[in-house]
C-alpha cells in the first residue's frame, strides 16, 4: 500500500515551483532538512525518483513533472476543502452553500 501524506504533496509542489530545497523550505515555513526528508520519503513511498538533486538546482524527472501536473487536479481542490472545513457556516469556496 502506498502511504503519501498531504504534507509531502505540498512540500513537493513547493520544491517543483522553487527548484531549490532552501527556498521551498522557506515557502513551507519548515527547515530545509525536514523538507528534504519528506521529499525522500515521498519518493520511497512511490518507488520512483521525482527530482534530480544538483549542487545548486533541483530538476524534476519526467515522473516528477507528471506528479506536479496531477497536483493541481487532485490537491488544489482537496486543500480548498481542508481550508473550508474549518470555517462552518461560510459556504463552500466558489459560492456553493453548505446546506
Amino acid at each position: 500500500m502506498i502511504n503519501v501524506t498531504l504534507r509531502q504533496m505540498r512540500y513537493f509542489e513547493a520544491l517543483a515551483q522553487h527548484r531549490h530545497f532552501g527556498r521551498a523550505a522557506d515557502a513551507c515555513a519548515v527547515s530545509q532538512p525536514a523538507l528534504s526528508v519528506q521529499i525522500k520519503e515521498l519518493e520511497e513511498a512511490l518507488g520512483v525518483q521525482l527530482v534530480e538533486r544538483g549542487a545548486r538546482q533541483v530538476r524534476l524527472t519526467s515522473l516528477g513533472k507528471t506528479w506536479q501536473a496531477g497536483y493541481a487536479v487532485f490537491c488544489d481542490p482537496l486543500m480548498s476543502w481542508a481550508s473550508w472545513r474549518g470555517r462552518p457556516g461560510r459556504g463552500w469556496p466558489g459560492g456553493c452553500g453548505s446546506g
Side-chain angles (χ1 to χ4, degrees):
M1 182 169 136
I2 296 175
N3 186 17
V4 174
T5 67
L6 289 175
R7 174 180 295 143
Q8 290 169 333
M9 295 171 78
R10 278 196 326 265
Y11 289 0
F12 173 76
E13 178 61 14
L15 183 59
Q17 286 179 356
H18 295 281
R19 302 285 204 273
H20 187 274
F21 277 94
R23 288 189 291 271
D26 288 344
C28 294
V30 297
S31 69
Q32 182 274 323
L35 183 125
S36 184
V37 166
Q38 290 297 311
I39 297 298
K40 189 68 177 164
E41 288 179 3
L42 172 63
E43 290 177 319
E44 289 173 1
L46 296 173
V48 299
Q49 183 178 359
L50 297 172
V51 297
E52 294 176 358
R53 294 150 176 87
R56 295 185 172 254
Q57 187 176 5
V58 173
R59 288 195 308 253
L60 298 180
T61 64
S62 60
L63 289 170
K65 290 175 186 175
T66 300
W67 187 264
Q68 183 187 26
Y71 181 92
V73 173
F74 177 75
C75 288
D76 285 348
L78 192 56
M79 295 299 178
S80 292
W81 176 82
S83 174
W84 165 80
R85 187 176 66 142
R87 303 179 307 159
R90 294 189 181 185
W92 183 254
C96 296
S98 61

